[in-house]
Amino acid sequence: MAGRADGNRQREAQTGTGQAWAEQLLEHLRPAGRDVRRVVAWLSGTVGATVALLDAAGDLVAGDRLPLDADLVTDITAGRIASAAWEGQGSHLRLVRVEHPSHACVLAVSRQAPFDRRASDVVTHTAQVLGLLLTVNESAAAGHRLRRATADLRLAILQLLMVEDTIAARRVAAGLWPGLLDAETACVYVVESDPAVRDRIAEECLDRTREDALVVRCPAMDGHVIVVSPRDTTGEALRSLVGRHPDLFLGGSVRQSLARTATAYGQAVSALAVAHFRPDKTAVYAERTHPERLMDPVALRGWTSRVLRPLDTLSHHTRAELVATSRLGLEFTAVNAAKVLGVSRNTVRARMERVETLLGTDFADLTVRAVVHLALNTQIGLPDTRFADGSGDPGLRLADLLSGPAVRGWARDLLGRLDADARNPRRTLRTWIAAGGNAERAAQALGVHAQTVREHVRSAEPVLERQLLAGGTDLYEVVLAHLAVGDLDLPALPRPA
């Protein structure tokens, strides 16, 4: 009887020890502790052994390399046997199959002492835990790959819209989001957040829009999420999201055709700058009087056709590629345009240089950039306006478009807002534009410091209600205003034959 009591006490002590290691092992299943390498290291310390976890190819997943029989490992991973044990040369080896969704692994444990019941139980249960962790990790990896592939597909659709290829964009979107781009028009929104939380904000945008919108992590700006949606309810859903987060800002465009997604994106970015000064942290691009809307549409279309005629010698695909790239390259920096298009910045520069060569122009001149920007946007912005005789006025020049009373009145009113400032920012702005937007060269011409030039230009932005230092449409409108009132010389554009 005494002997049996002593044996019971011994088993109770082992049971207590078993409960301790079991609790430790279960801790590794908590979300914060799910690490296969840590479990293997824990097993090594718990049973006093060298441990290796191998995949079906025999490659080490975790632990330390052990000399093992390759055929035996293959038999276990193939399922011909579930486990194996071997002893000799002063060591004891135990191999156990670890179940895995795609392929089995082998847990190999080698130690000098024989495997008692406790050590065997620890090894067996650890193999089960490793199987669960490998399954969870594979599922998480598959989910991550799926989310990444979906995000890449959304970006590809946006890039197609940016280059005006709406047919291909619809075709790509139809597979995963049927009907998303069936509408002819859409609004573009840009949500700005801290880059560290952008992924979470993008997911919230998807939830808020119920996937009725194209939600893309901006490839150019780390903190931006771009949302393209034909639905009228999207704007309200995003404003609600911004209201819940103190560090979010929202800019939105006016409704544009899908082919003008790049224009709408520029409007949303412009509105985003205004949103930083609004109490509700949101802003929609304010429709204002644009100079091209004050020109005779038939005359403007005819002038545009002649300016861009050298591009007509190209194939349709090449011409569309060069035009779309140039529109974005004139609106944004080459680096950001490249990221949006999914090409290198050298590709953007090469395409724009080819357009420069064909048009016989120099994009380093801000007046040239403004005029070509006007032509490129007129081509897509105005409906096809046919001439009564099929040709239009062959003698019409840019000076004629800018000399109309409506355009000149608009230009005088716009630039006249700067006249009340005693520092004469209008002269500074004119000189800065003539210097190609280079503050140092403008400062040298004016005899002031470059920082003074930047301050004058920056102070003109809220007065003119346009972003100038950032470039793009806002700046080009101000350049056209200077051309209309005669404060700057008209650029010399070669006349097509």
Side-chain angles (χ1 to χ4, degrees), residues 325-369:
T325 301
S326 296
R327 287 184 66 235
L328 282 174
L330 291 172
E331 196 70 42
F332 309 105
T333 65
V335 173
N336 285 348
K339 290 179 179 178
V340 170
L341 291 171
V343 298
S344 71
R345 60 184 176 184
N346 289 335
T347 298
V348 170
R349 292 186 177 120
R351 291 175 182 175
M352 294 186 69
E353 286 172 2
R354 188 175 179 187
V355 172
E356 283 181 292
T357 301
L358 288 168
L359 298 184
T361 57
D362 181 5
F363 287 158
D365 186 332
L366 273 180
T367 60
V368 169
R369 292 174 72 92

Side-chain angles (χ1 to χ4, degrees), residues 122 179 339 394 415 496:
V122 173
K339 290 179 179 178
L415 298 180

Side-chain angles (χ1 to χ4, degrees), residues 108-244:
V109 184
S110 175
R111 69 179 201 162
Q112 294 180 346
F115 283 86
D116 54 16
R117 182 174 179 178
R118 173 183 176 276
S120 298
D121 287 346
V122 173
V123 172
T124 301
H125 286 84
T126 301
Q128 295 171 350
V129 168
L130 287 172
L132 290 173
L133 292 182
L134 289 172
T135 300
V136 170
N137 290 345
E138 184 168 286
S139 298
H144 175 74
R145 288 193 297 270
L146 178 60
R147 288 191 297 273
R148 179 62 183 269
T150 304
D152 290 344
L153 188 57
R154 290 193 183 99
L155 175 58
I157 294 170
L158 176 67
Q159 289 168 342
L160 288 170
L161 291 175
M162 286 289 193
V163 296
E164 304 161 24
D165 195 345
T166 57
I167 295 175
R170 286 189 174 110
R171 187 180 299 121
V172 174
L176 288 179
W177 304 283
L180 176 62
L181 299 179
D182 284 354
E184 293 299 323
T185 61
C187 291
V188 175
Y189 302 90
V190 177
V191 181
E192 181 180 312
S193 69
D194 186 292
V197 300
R198 182 176 69 164
D199 287 348
R200 176 170 59 82
I201 297 302
E203 292 300 323
E204 289 197 44
C205 288
L206 284 169
D207 291 340
R208 290 275 175 165
T209 59
R210 299 179 180 178
E211 298 208 1
D212 281 340
L214 182 67
V215 178
V216 180
R217 294 162 177 81
C218 179
M221 302 297 292
D222 291 339
H224 288 187
V225 176
I226 302 171
V227 181
V228 182
S229 176
R231 313 285 188 264
D232 292 331
T233 57
T234 299
E236 187 57 39
L238 294 177
R239 280 189 286 272
S240 175
L241 173 64
V242 170
R244 292 179 56 247

Side-chain angles (χ1 to χ4, degrees), residues 211-417:
E211 298 208 1
D212 281 340
L214 182 67
V215 178
V216 180
R217 294 162 177 81
C218 179
M221 302 297 292
D222 291 339
H224 288 187
V225 176
I226 302 171
V227 181
V228 182
S229 176
R231 313 285 188 264
D232 292 331
T233 57
T234 299
E236 187 57 39
L238 294 177
R239 280 189 286 272
S240 175
L241 173 64
V242 170
R244 292 179 56 247
H245 296 274
D247 55 345
L248 294 189
F249 299 91
L250 174 67
S253 74
V254 297
R255 187 167 288 276
Q256 299 279 5
S257 67
L258 288 180
R260 300 199 71 190
T261 298
T263 299
Y265 171 62
Q267 291 180 348
V269 172
S270 179
L272 185 63
V274 177
H276 281 265
F277 303 98
R278 294 280 182 86
D280 60 355
K281 303 173 298 172
T282 68
V284 175
Y285 184 77
E287 275 286 31
R288 58 186 181 232
T289 302
H290 299 286
E292 63 269 23
R293 297 185 180 181
L294 302 174
M295 303 174 187
D296 182 335
V298 175
L300 179 57
R301 173 65 77 176
W303 170 83
T304 295
S305 298
R306 286 192 300 279
V307 169
L308 301 181
R309 188 173 298 162
L311 302 181
D312 295 340
T313 60
L314 304 171
S315 66
H316 174 76
H317 172 76
T318 301
R319 187 186 193 282
E321 185 177 68
L322 293 182
V323 167
T325 301
S326 296
R327 287 184 66 235
L328 282 174
L330 291 172
E331 196 70 42
F332 309 105
T333 65
V335 173
N336 285 348
K339 290 179 179 178
V340 170
L341 291 171
V343 298
S344 71
R345 60 184 176 184
N346 289 335
T347 298
V348 170
R349 292 186 177 120
R351 291 175 182 175
M352 294 186 69
E353 286 172 2
R354 188 175 179 187
V355 172
E356 283 181 292
T357 301
L358 288 168
L359 298 184
T361 57
D362 181 5
F363 287 158
D365 186 332
L366 273 180
T367 60
V368 169
R369 292 174 72 92
V371 170
V372 174
H373 180 268
L374 172 65
L376 292 174
N377 281 279
T378 296
Q379 189 177 60
I380 189 174
L382 280 181
D384 268 336
T385 306
R386 300 194 177 275
F387 308 111
D389 60 359
S391 63
D393 181 1
L396 190 68
R397 302 170 301 167
L398 176 65
D400 300 318
L401 294 175
L402 296 176
S403 63
V407 177
R408 289 180 63 86
W410 162 81
R412 284 194 297 268
D413 290 343
L414 178 65
L415 298 180
R417 302 177 192 177

